[in-house]
PDB file of all heavy atoms in Angstrom:
ATOM      1  N   PHE A 267      -2.036 -17.549  11.818  1.00  0.00           N
ATOM      2  CA  PHE A 267      -0.782 -18.179  12.218  1.00  0.00           C
ATOM      3  C   PHE A 267       0.265 -17.079  12.350  1.00  0.00           C
ATOM      4  O   PHE A 267       0.682 -16.483  11.358  1.00  0.00           O
ATOM      5  CB  PHE A 267      -0.339 -19.220  11.183  1.00  0.00           C
ATOM      6  CG  PHE A 267       0.917 -19.950  11.576  1.00  0.00           C
ATOM      7  CD1 PHE A 267       0.860 -21.031  12.433  1.00  0.00           C
ATOM      8  CD2 PHE A 267       2.165 -19.557  11.096  1.00  0.00           C
ATOM      9  CE1 PHE A 267       2.011 -21.712  12.805  1.00  0.00           C
ATOM     10  CE2 PHE A 267       3.315 -20.229  11.459  1.00  0.00           C
ATOM     11  CZ  PHE A 267       3.241 -21.297  12.316  1.00  0.00           C
ATOM     12  N   GLU A 272       6.178 -10.318  18.815  1.00  0.00           N
ATOM     13  CA  GLU A 272       5.994  -8.863  18.832  1.00  0.00           C
ATOM     14  C   GLU A 272       7.345  -8.158  18.693  1.00  0.00           C
ATOM     15  O   GLU A 272       7.478  -7.168  17.957  1.00  0.00           O
ATOM     16  CB  GLU A 272       5.299  -8.459  20.136  1.00  0.00           C
ATOM     17  CG  GLU A 272       5.352  -6.979  20.467  1.00  0.00           C
ATOM     18  CD  GLU A 272       4.438  -6.142  19.593  1.00  0.00           C
ATOM     19  OE1 GLU A 272       3.488  -6.701  19.027  1.00  0.00           O
ATOM     20  OE2 GLU A 272       4.694  -4.930  19.490  1.00  0.00           O
ATOM     21  N   ASN A 274      10.094  -9.292  17.286  1.00  0.00           N
ATOM     22  CA  ASN A 274      10.607  -9.479  15.921  1.00  0.00           C
ATOM     23  C   ASN A 274       9.949  -8.509  14.959  1.00  0.00           C
ATOM     24  O   ASN A 274      10.612  -7.889  14.120  1.00  0.00           O
ATOM     25  CB  ASN A 274      10.364 -10.910  15.445  1.00  0.00           C
ATOM     26  CG  ASN A 274      11.133 -11.959  16.206  1.00  0.00           C
ATOM     27  OD1 ASN A 274      10.704 -13.106  16.289  1.00  0.00           O
ATOM     28  ND2 ASN A 274      12.281 -11.604  16.766  1.00  0.00           N
ATOM     29  N   GLN A 276       8.458  -5.645  15.625  1.00  0.00           N
ATOM     30  CA  GLN A 276       8.869  -4.270  15.916  1.00  0.00           C
ATOM     31  C   GLN A 276      10.256  -3.988  15.359  1.00  0.00           C
ATOM     32  O   GLN A 276      10.524  -2.894  14.834  1.00  0.00           O
ATOM     33  CB  GLN A 276       8.844  -4.029  17.422  1.00  0.00           C
ATOM     34  CG  GLN A 276       9.130  -2.582  17.820  1.00  0.00           C
ATOM     35  CD  GLN A 276       8.092  -1.623  17.286  1.00  0.00           C
ATOM     36  OE1 GLN A 276       6.899  -1.769  17.585  1.00  0.00           O
ATOM     37  NE2 GLN A 276       8.517  -0.648  16.489  1.00  0.00           N
ATOM     38  N   VAL A 315      13.566   9.859  -2.747  1.00  0.00           N
ATOM     39  CA  VAL A 315      12.783  10.439  -1.665  1.00  0.00           C
ATOM     40  C   VAL A 315      13.217   9.803  -0.352  1.00  0.00           C
ATOM     41  O   VAL A 315      13.217   8.569  -0.220  1.00  0.00           O
ATOM     42  CB  VAL A 315      11.277  10.225  -1.890  1.00  0.00           C
ATOM     43  CG1 VAL A 315      10.477  10.869  -0.770  1.00  0.00           C
ATOM     44  CG2 VAL A 315      10.843  10.785  -3.243  1.00  0.00           C
ATOM     45  N   ASP A 367      -3.240 -31.197 -24.312  1.00  0.00           N
ATOM     46  CA  ASP A 367      -3.538 -31.547 -25.703  1.00  0.00           C
ATOM     47  C   ASP A 367      -2.594 -30.836 -26.677  1.00  0.00           C
ATOM     48  O   ASP A 367      -2.031 -31.454 -27.572  1.00  0.00           O
ATOM     49  CB  ASP A 367      -4.979 -31.178 -26.056  1.00  0.00           C
ATOM     50  CG  ASP A 367      -5.989 -31.886 -25.187  1.00  0.00           C
ATOM     51  OD1 ASP A 367      -5.839 -33.100 -24.984  1.00  0.00           O
ATOM     52  OD2 ASP A 367      -6.912 -31.226 -24.700  1.00  0.00           O
ATOM     53  N   HIS A 432      -0.754   4.780 -18.089  1.00  0.00           N
ATOM     54  CA  HIS A 432      -1.771   5.547 -17.372  1.00  0.00           C
ATOM     55  C   HIS A 432      -3.011   5.794 -18.230  1.00  0.00           C
ATOM     56  O   HIS A 432      -4.131   5.870 -17.709  1.00  0.00           O
ATOM     57  CB  HIS A 432      -1.183   6.864 -16.859  1.00  0.00           C
ATOM     58  CG  HIS A 432      -0.789   7.843 -17.927  1.00  0.00           C
ATOM     59  ND1 HIS A 432      -1.673   8.763 -18.454  1.00  0.00           N
ATOM     60  CD2 HIS A 432       0.387   8.032 -18.580  1.00  0.00           C
ATOM     61  CE1 HIS A 432      -1.059   9.492 -19.366  1.00  0.00           C
ATOM     62  NE2 HIS A 432       0.192   9.067 -19.469  1.00  0.00           N
ATOM     63  N   VAL A 479      -3.936   7.352 -11.428  1.00  0.00           N
ATOM     64  CA  VAL A 479      -5.257   7.308 -12.062  1.00  0.00           C
ATOM     65  C   VAL A 479      -6.255   6.586 -11.165  1.00  0.00           C
ATOM     66  O   VAL A 479      -7.362   7.096 -10.891  1.00  0.00           O
ATOM     67  CB  VAL A 479      -5.186   6.625 -13.443  1.00  0.00           C
ATOM     68  CG1 VAL A 479      -6.589   6.299 -13.968  1.00  0.00           C
ATOM     69  CG2 VAL A 479      -4.446   7.502 -14.438  1.00  0.00           C
ATOM     70  N   THR A 502      18.503 -13.108   3.058  1.00  0.00           N
ATOM     71  CA  THR A 502      17.850 -13.507   4.301  1.00  0.00           C
ATOM     72  C   THR A 502      16.391 -13.077   4.286  1.00  0.00           C
ATOM     73  O   THR A 502      16.029 -12.062   3.692  1.00  0.00           O
ATOM     74  CB  THR A 502      18.540 -12.874   5.525  1.00  0.00           C
ATOM     75  OG1 THR A 502      18.396 -11.448   5.461  1.00  0.00           O
ATOM     76  CG2 THR A 502      20.020 -13.235   5.559  1.00  0.00           C
ATOM     77  N   MET A 541      20.480 -20.281  -5.561  1.00  0.00           N
ATOM     78  CA  MET A 541      21.869 -19.843  -5.562  1.00  0.00           C
ATOM     79  C   MET A 541      22.741 -20.703  -6.471  1.00  0.00           C
ATOM     80  O   MET A 541      23.886 -20.356  -6.764  1.00  0.00           O
ATOM     81  CB  MET A 541      22.423 -19.869  -4.136  1.00  0.00           C
ATOM     82  CG  MET A 541      21.774 -18.860  -3.210  1.00  0.00           C
ATOM     83  SD  MET A 541      22.178 -17.130  -3.594  1.00  0.00           S
ATOM     84  CE  MET A 541      20.698 -16.590  -4.478  1.00  0.00           C
ATOM     85  N   ALA A 601      -1.816 -17.555   6.915  1.00  0.00           N
ATOM     86  CA  ALA A 601      -1.236 -16.260   7.236  1.00  0.00           C
ATOM     87  C   ALA A 601      -2.284 -15.172   7.355  1.00  0.00           C
ATOM     88  O   ALA A 601      -2.096 -14.196   8.088  1.00  0.00           O
ATOM     89  CB  ALA A 601      -0.211 -15.870   6.174  1.00  0.00           C
ATOM     90  N   ALA A 618       3.329 -19.173 -17.862  1.00  0.00           N
ATOM     91  CA  ALA A 618       2.241 -19.880 -18.545  1.00  0.00           C
ATOM     92  C   ALA A 618       1.029 -20.006 -17.633  1.00  0.00           C
ATOM     93  O   ALA A 618       1.151 -20.151 -16.414  1.00  0.00           O
ATOM     94  CB  ALA A 618       2.690 -21.261 -18.997  1.00  0.00           C
ATOM     95  N   ALA A 631      -8.488 -24.410  -3.891  1.00  0.00           N
ATOM     96  CA  ALA A 631      -9.200 -23.227  -3.409  1.00  0.00           C
ATOM     97  C   ALA A 631     -10.425 -23.629  -2.600  1.00  0.00           C
ATOM     98  O   ALA A 631     -10.747 -23.013  -1.573  1.00  0.00           O
ATOM     99  CB  ALA A 631      -9.600 -22.340  -4.586  1.00  0.00           C
ATOM    100  N   VAL A 636     -12.986 -24.514   3.066  1.00  0.00           N
ATOM    101  CA  VAL A 636     -13.382 -25.385   4.176  1.00  0.00           C
ATOM    102  C   VAL A 636     -12.473 -25.167   5.382  1.00  0.00           C
ATOM    103  O   VAL A 636     -12.932 -25.047   6.520  1.00  0.00           O
ATOM    104  CB  VAL A 636     -13.346 -26.863   3.731  1.00  0.00           C
ATOM    105  CG1 VAL A 636     -13.645 -27.784   4.916  1.00  0.00           C
ATOM    106  CG2 VAL A 636     -14.340 -27.113   2.607  1.00  0.00           C
ATOM    107  N   TRP A 690     -10.292 -47.782 -10.725  1.00  0.00           N
ATOM    108  CA  TRP A 690      -9.524 -46.738 -11.427  1.00  0.00           C
ATOM    109  C   TRP A 690      -9.125 -47.228 -12.812  1.00  0.00           C
ATOM    110  O   TRP A 690      -9.212 -46.491 -13.806  1.00  0.00           O
ATOM    111  CB  TRP A 690      -8.305 -46.362 -10.590  1.00  0.00           C
ATOM    112  CG  TRP A 690      -7.324 -45.458 -11.273  1.00  0.00           C
ATOM    113  CD1 TRP A 690      -7.461 -44.125 -11.505  1.00  0.00           C
ATOM    114  CD2 TRP A 690      -6.046 -45.827 -11.803  1.00  0.00           C
ATOM    115  NE1 TRP A 690      -6.359 -43.626 -12.152  1.00  0.00           N
ATOM    116  CE2 TRP A 690      -5.467 -44.652 -12.351  1.00  0.00           C
ATOM    117  CE3 TRP A 690      -5.326 -47.021 -11.864  1.00  0.00           C
ATOM    118  CZ2 TRP A 690      -4.208 -44.640 -12.946  1.00  0.00           C
ATOM    119  CZ3 TRP A 690      -4.072 -47.013 -12.455  1.00  0.00           C
ATOM    120  CH2 TRP A 690      -3.528 -45.835 -12.996  1.00  0.00           C
ATOM    121  N   ILE A 722     -25.812  -1.106 -21.879  1.00  0.00           N
ATOM    122  CA  ILE A 722     -24.447  -1.034 -21.351  1.00  0.00           C
ATOM    123  C   ILE A 722     -23.482  -1.712 -22.303  1.00  0.00           C
ATOM    124  O   ILE A 722     -22.389  -1.192 -22.592  1.00  0.00           O
ATOM    125  CB  ILE A 722     -24.387  -1.671 -19.951  1.00  0.00           C
ATOM    126  CG1 ILE A 722     -25.140  -0.801 -18.944  1.00  0.00           C
ATOM    127  CG2 ILE A 722     -22.943  -1.888 -19.515  1.00  0.00           C
ATOM    128  CD1 ILE A 722     -25.228  -1.402 -17.559  1.00  0.00           C
ATOM    129  N   LYS A 734     -10.247   2.908 -30.002  1.00  0.00           N
ATOM    130  CA  LYS A 734      -9.303   2.163 -30.840  1.00  0.00           C
ATOM    131  C   LYS A 734      -9.039   2.894 -32.159  1.00  0.00           C
ATOM    132  O   LYS A 734      -7.918   2.863 -32.689  1.00  0.00           O
ATOM    133  CB  LYS A 734      -9.838   0.757 -31.126  1.00  0.00           C
ATOM    134  CG  LYS A 734      -9.751  -0.212 -29.967  1.00  0.00           C
ATOM    135  CD  LYS A 734     -10.249  -1.596 -30.396  1.00  0.00           C
ATOM    136  CE  LYS A 734     -10.128  -2.615 -29.306  1.00  0.00           C
ATOM    137  NZ  LYS A 734     -10.581  -3.965 -29.729  1.00  0.00           N
TER     138      LYS A 734
END
Side-chain angles (χ1 to χ4, degrees):
F267 183 83
E272 165 73 21
N274 294 153
Q276 185 62 58
V315 182
D367 300 315
H432 67 88
V479 167
T502 64
M541 294 291 101
V636 175
W690 171 75
I722 291 175
K734 285 183 177 181

